[in-house]
Amino acid sequence: MKNFLFISIEESFFIIFVAILIFGPKKITDIARELGEGVRYLKNAKNKIKDEIMRTNNINKPIQDNKKIKKPPYSVKRNN
């Protein structure tokens, strides 16, 4: 079994125990909620930037003469 972030289960329980002692159970839920909102905000910002880049790249591309663009295959077979 792989350890998450190279921390054993006992060490992770100890970290959680210390966090509960320092912040209290109610404050930990608020902290976790705020972290989740922050991650969601960053994900949305990343998607907006990516969409904007894709949109500007599509505007600057020359129009092709109704040629179909080949899509890459979903899986690549490798010869060993």
Side-chain angles (χ1 to χ4, degrees):
M1 183 174 132
K2 292 184 180 180
N3 293 334
F4 181 70
L5 296 176
F6 305 106
I7 298 175
S8 69
I9 293 173
E10 294 85 11
E11 291 170 338
S12 59
F13 280 130
F14 180 74
I15 292 170
I16 292 170
F17 178 73
V18 170
I20 289 173
L21 286 177
I22 293 173
F23 297 112
K26 288 187 179 183
K27 188 68 174 173
I28 288 179
T29 57
D30 293 339
I31 292 170
R33 185 177 300 114
E34 290 172 4
L35 283 174
E37 289 174 0
V39 169
R40 189 178 319 117
Y41 177 79
L42 289 175
K43 226 182 249 189
N44 289 339
K46 179 191 76 162
N47 288 336
K48 285 181 183 179
I49 292 169
K50 187 171 138 182
D51 291 341
E52 182 70 24
I53 290 171
M54 294 298 289
R55 191 173 59 86
T56 56
N57 283 342
N58 288 337
I59 291 173
N60 296 331
K61 285 185 179 179
I63 299 174
Q64 296 179 352
D65 299 324
N66 294 330
K67 293 180 181 177
K68 290 185 179 180
I69 300 173
K70 281 188 170 181
K71 292 183 180 179
Y74 289 103
S75 64
V76 178
K77 294 182 180 178
R78 297 183 182 182
N79 295 329
N80 290 333

